[in-house]
Amino acid sequence: MASERDIRARLQRAGQEHLLRFCAELAPGPRAALLAQLEPLEPEALGEHCRRAAAARAHPSGPPPELAARLRPLPPERMGTASGGDPQSRRLWEEEGFHQIALNKVAVLLLAGGQGTRLGVTYPKGMYQVGLPSQKTLYQLQAERIRRVEQLAGERCGTRCTVPWYIMTSEFTLGPTAEFFKEHDFFHLDPNNVVMFEQRMLPAVTFDGRAILERKDKVAMAPDGNGGLYCALADHQILEDMERRGVEFVHVYCVDNILVRLADPVFIGFCVLRGADCGAKVVEKAYPEEPVGVVCQVDGVPQVVEYSEISPETARLRAPGGGLLYNAGNICNHFFTRDFLQRVTREFEPLLKPHVAVKKVPYVDEEGNPVKPLKPNGIKMEKFVFDVLPFARNFVAFQVLREEEFSPLKNADSADRDNPSTARRALLAQHYRWALQAGARFLGPHGAQLPEQPSLPSSGEPAAVCEISPLVSYSGEGLEVYLQGREFRSPFILDENQARALQP
């Protein structure tokens, strides 16, 4: 370990010597902890990070004045759709996706670095329960979808196969996530096929370019955004691990979408048959001002443009058919070839421009007193996973139905949207639809038959509570054998045990 003198000299070169201003007051243990945190920070990189943060904060936010003239929707040849298209094409995509899964060429990669702060909890989001009858967490739902898609691919192709699960965590989420998986026996997945790795952390910075001291013995650090994936892949030799396993295609997604379809065969097959090296699932924007990024083209190059960068006038533009012209909402759900990820880590990652997030960052004042600010006082620099889209040789987008594949969990129930209640309702409404489509009928508390057309008011629950385990059905397939022509009372849980009991 470097000496205090060496670390002080390096901080001087970076213009950040203030991080040691309380060092002489610290007991040996806290002093050693602070020096250990500071040692990996290269002076040139630290100084540049702080300068870039302050400079980025100084630039006005909002729509660049010339952007509207450079924007274009994605051309139709770059688009596919999960519904409303040619059923034969969908069957071919699904068949190809299952074929690649059966060949052990597909992996899933979870972006799980964020804490559940906005949810009002201190643990990782993946450990959250939204109040399902089964009490399953997001992590369990996702693990069971992996098991089911492995099973389906194996049955179709007459083989045993594995979909490795790579999980990118942060300093905050690695320990709790690893412990949670061990406590739950990795949800019956082989632990050798669940690979956790940690993204980098970057110092939070004041508006005038000084790294923030959170405590006398600790620098305020934050994960480098989900775009930190590309450095983390290189730091932990993840792509080398994929190559050893024979993985060629990677499905990347965020932890907070309760409806996410891991290793979705239709999406995988679509991208593979189109020869894509990079793909994105999108949903139709619900309304012009919806706060989601838009997948489109800028100067003919595909990218995600943040909602804050699009003027209200541009957001409201209509296509000839009447829908929004820029309607491809980004949901952080991507396809990458391993070759593309290797090119990104080797060539393009240094070209990615960090984004500014202005936050309330706890700090110590000049006298060493802890302060919890009431308004934003610091800058966290983040990269986004979609920042690499412009480097793709063949980018495609795949539009899916929001009610089938996208319901994010971001806020506590006190918020109007994207909260535990909306996520729970979205999943239960989906399962109710699946059950009705499979021929089930549901009875109310007094024995009256409930509506066969599922309707879900914006603030209400489905007519019947029906939860279907991912181990029974991945996307609504195969339910007729258990449900057709039968009546059930709400609440109804169709898990593996119940399915065995209902099987003829």
Side-chain angles (χ1 to χ4, degrees):
M1 180 173 170
S3 67
E4 179 182 335
R5 180 178 177 180
D6 289 340
I7 291 173
R8 189 177 294 275
R10 289 159 61 183
L11 290 175
Q12 283 177 330
R13 294 207 304 275
Q16 303 294 322
E17 190 184 0
H18 66 280
L19 295 175
L20 285 175
R21 67 182 184 270
F22 299 111
C23 193
E25 304 175 19
L26 298 174
R31 181 187 300 144
L34 176 62
L35 295 175
Q37 187 186 24
L38 293 170
E39 185 178 25
L41 301 177
E42 293 294 335
E44 290 76 16
L46 175 61
E48 178 63 16
H49 167 70
C50 294
R51 286 190 293 273
R52 287 177 73 176
R57 172 69 174 83
H59 289 151
S61 59
E66 77 290 353
L67 181 63
R70 300 162 56 204
L71 275 182
R72 294 292 183 275
L74 285 177
E77 61 269 21
R78 289 190 180 271
M79 294 287 296
T81 180
S83 62
D86 174 20
Q88 177 61 20
S89 294
R90 181 187 168 88
R91 283 192 292 272
L92 288 174
W93 299 334
E94 185 177 60
E95 184 178 315
E96 178 66 20
F98 276 126
H99 175 65
Q100 298 298 339
I101 292 168
L103 292 174
N104 298 306
K105 291 186 177 182
V106 177
V108 292
L109 195 155
L110 166 59
L111 305 172
Q115 296 172 285
T117 309
R118 283 166 61 185
L119 275 171
V121 297
T122 57
Y123 50 80
K125 277 188 185 179
M127 295 164 55
Y128 195 86
Q129 295 183 21
V130 299
L132 296 172
S134 67
Q135 297 299 301
K136 289 178 181 178
T137 60
L138 297 179
Y139 280 148
Q140 182 170 354
L141 291 170
Q142 292 168 24
E144 291 179 353
R145 287 175 190 147
I146 291 175
R147 290 172 58 193
R148 178 63 178 169
V149 83
E150 289 174 341
Q151 178 189 5
L152 290 171
E155 288 173 353
R156 285 190 177 219
C157 302
T159 184
R160 289 178 62 86
C161 59
T162 297
V163 175
W165 194 6
Y166 296 90
I167 302 176
M168 186 180 80
T169 67
S170 68
E171 175 184 293
F172 303 126
T173 59
L174 177 59
T177 296
E179 186 61 31
F180 190 73
F181 272 71
K182 288 176 185 174
E183 287 174 0
H184 292 85
D185 193 26
F186 286 80
F187 305 103
H188 303 289
L189 292 167
D190 183 343
N192 293 320
N193 297 325
V194 181
V195 180
M196 298 183 193
F197 60 103
E198 193 173 335
Q199 68 187 111
R200 295 180 182 180
M201 304 287 284
L202 294 172
V205 181
T206 61
F207 296 158
D208 59 356
R210 289 161 58 89
I212 295 175
L213 205 57
E214 182 179 337
R215 299 194 310 255
K216 290 182 179 182
D217 61 347
K218 186 178 188 298
V219 181
M221 304 288 282
D224 55 356
N226 56 32
L229 168 67
Y230 307 109
C231 282
L233 291 174
D235 291 345
H236 301 282
Q237 293 81 50
I238 297 300
L239 295 175
E240 290 82 353
D241 184 83
M242 290 180 179
E243 186 172 13
R244 284 192 297 271
R245 295 172 185 264
V247 169
E248 294 186 17
F249 310 112
V250 187
H251 180 205
V252 176
Y253 69 100
C254 271
V255 69
D256 59 9
N257 179 10
I258 197 170
L259 299 182
V260 65
R261 295 183 180 178
L262 288 81
D264 176 12
V266 180
F267 181 44
I268 299 292
F270 167 75
C271 292
V272 170
L273 290 175
R274 287 289 186 95
D277 56 353
C278 175
K281 278 191 179 184
V282 298
V283 297
E284 185 175 353
K285 285 186 68 174
Y287 51 94
E289 300 81 17
E290 184 180 11
V292 295
V294 173
V295 181
C296 57
Q297 292 190 150
V298 179
D299 298 328
V301 177
Q303 67 181 67
V304 175
V305 177
E306 287 286 67
Y307 63 90
S308 58
E309 297 174 339
I310 297 180
S311 70
E313 295 77 18
T314 301
R316 288 194 290 266
L317 290 175
R318 297 283 171 174
L324 292 175
L325 184 63
Y326 297 104
N327 74 339
N330 177 53
I331 61 172
C332 196
N333 192 313
H334 296 285
F335 166 95
F336 299 117
T337 63
R338 179 172 50 82
D339 287 345
F340 176 69
L341 291 173
Q342 287 173 330
R343 284 198 296 122
V344 169
T345 58
R346 292 171 183 169
E347 302 174 40
F348 303 129
E349 199 287 329
L351 305 178
L352 303 181
K353 294 181 180 179
H355 305 262
V356 172
V358 180
K359 304 282 188 178
K360 290 184 281 190
V361 182
Y363 66 98
V364 290
D365 63 19
E366 292 302 319
E367 286 72 45
N369 302 309
V371 179
K372 286 193 173 182
L374 299 178
K375 60 182 182 179
N377 65 310
I379 305 161
K380 295 182 180 180
M381 298 291 279
E382 303 173 324
K383 294 179 180 179
F384 297 152
V385 68
F386 55 71
D387 289 336
V388 300
L389 268 59
F391 303 115
R393 291 171 177 160
N394 184 11
F395 171 78
V396 294
F398 192 65
Q399 189 171 74
V400 298
L401 294 174
R402 182 186 297 255
E403 61 266 28
E404 286 295 328
E405 298 203 36
F406 184 56
S407 181
L409 176 63
K410 297 185 179 298
N411 307 309
D413 262 327
S414 55
D416 293 335
R417 58 196 298 273
D418 300 342
N419 59 45
S421 293
T422 59
R424 181 186 66 252
R425 287 200 299 266
L427 186 70
L428 294 178
Q430 178 191 64
H431 290 187
Y432 184 46
R433 288 193 301 272
W434 290 355
L436 293 178
Q437 289 161 6
R441 296 188 298 272
F442 288 88
L443 304 178
H446 303 296
Q449 187 168 325
L450 294 174
E452 294 194 11
Q453 291 299 319
S455 61
L456 183 61
S458 59
S459 60
E461 303 286 344
V465 174
C466 171
E467 183 182 352
I468 298 170
S469 168
L471 298 172
V472 176
S473 185
Y474 175 83
S475 59
E477 80 291 335
L479 294 173
E480 290 81 4
V481 68
Y482 313 116
L483 304 181
Q484 193 164 45
R486 289 180 161 144
E487 293 182 339
F488 302 96
R489 289 187 181 273
S490 173
F492 172 66
I493 299 178
L494 181 60
D495 57 18
E496 286 184 294
N497 292 333
Q498 184 69 21
R500 279 192 290 268
L502 291 171
Q503 199 161 17

